[in-house]
Amino acid sequence: MIEGLDLRHHTAEQAVGLVDRLVKLYLLVYADGDEFHSEDRYRRQLAGHMQRDGWDLVTATVDGELVGYIYGFPLPAETRWWVGIHEPIPAGFTDEDGKRTFAISELMVAPDWLRRGIARSLHDELLAGRTEERATLLAEPDNTPAQAAYQGWGWQKITKLRPGWEHAPTYDVLMKDVSRNNGEQGLPPSYWLG
């Protein structure tokens, strides 16, 4: 563990004063990004996500410097998260009720702080104690380090999804059983694959 690493949860209300710092780190991580990774689009995404019930942010700081963060929220019944999902998927796979699936929207670490276990620490902290049965995230297929990390952390690729946002790429849909976090036995891998 990095000496002085501080992981802290924030509600949307608590995170309002952090938005500029979150955006600054996002722009640093996606410095070579395309139009999709613009400041304006990300600010709109962040503002929309922060309005979700149960939104949770975990920041990682070292001596007050923001070195990484992760955030997500439970998917409500009327979610648009699954719009653009590629078929085939198991019947009922996209059915949500606000308690079934926790969606991780962003996980990032400043370039100078990579490969020190910060991403794993953020990931584990956000998912610890979740009451949902599963978690999902969208990963860029060509981000080999992230894909390897997610696989090592127990995530499984299910299908692909291209969100309806302008200039959005096609992502891999990853799922993880988090029911074990709340003392349940857990779901078999075949559960995700139908």
Side-chain angles (χ1 to χ4, degrees):
M1 185 59 87
I2 297 171
E3 186 176 333
L5 180 66
D6 181 31
L7 300 178
R8 191 166 298 183
H9 286 261
H10 308 268
T11 65
E13 185 176 280
Q14 295 165 337
V16 168
L18 296 173
V19 168
D20 287 342
R21 292 175 70 193
L22 300 176
V23 171
K24 182 178 178 180
L25 180 55
Y26 177 88
L27 295 174
L28 178 65
V29 168
Y30 290 103
D32 297 329
D34 53 18
E35 207 170 324
F36 178 73
H37 294 102
S38 71
E39 178 176 351
D40 179 61
R41 193 213 57 84
Y42 187 62
R43 282 187 182 276
R44 284 184 280 122
Q45 173 189 306
L46 192 55
H49 287 171
M50 289 173 72
Q51 295 177 25
R52 308 281 180 169
D53 287 340
W55 186 86
D56 190 13
L57 166 73
V58 178
T59 56
T61 58
V62 176
D63 297 327
E65 176 188 354
L66 181 66
V67 298
Y69 65 90
I70 185 171
Y71 78 78
F73 45 87
L75 295 179
E78 70 283 354
T79 186
R80 294 186 39 78
W81 182 271
W82 299 118
V83 172
I85 196 165
H86 294 191
E87 301 285 344
I89 53 172
F93 181 81
T94 61
D95 294 347
E96 300 297 345
D97 60 6
K99 298 176 183 173
R100 181 181 189 203
T101 308
F102 185 80
I104 295 177
S105 185
E106 296 293 342
L107 168 58
M108 63 189 70
V109 175
D112 290 345
W113 291 89
L114 291 172
R115 309 226 186 326
R116 299 188 196 187
I118 295 171
R120 177 64 188 259
S121 296
L122 285 164
H123 168 272
D124 292 353
E125 181 67 24
L126 182 66
L127 293 181
R130 294 300 323 165
T131 58
E132 297 82 8
E133 68 184 50
R134 64 186 191 171
T136 189
L137 61 79
L138 304 177
E140 294 177 0
D142 60 351
N143 187 340
T144 305
Q147 291 276 0
Y150 292 135
Q151 184 177 8
W153 301 343
W155 291 83
Q156 295 178 348
K157 179 181 170 189
I158 304 301
T159 187
K160 294 192 176 287
L161 183 148
R162 184 169 189 273
W165 318 312
E166 189 175 358
H167 307 293
T170 298
Y171 293 99
D172 287 338
V173 175
L174 304 183
M175 300 296 294
K176 180 176 175 63
D177 174 11
V178 293
S179 61
R180 294 179 194 168
N181 292 350
N182 57 29
E184 296 177 18
Q185 181 177 349
L187 301 164
S190 60
Y191 175 83
W192 308 122
L193 305 175

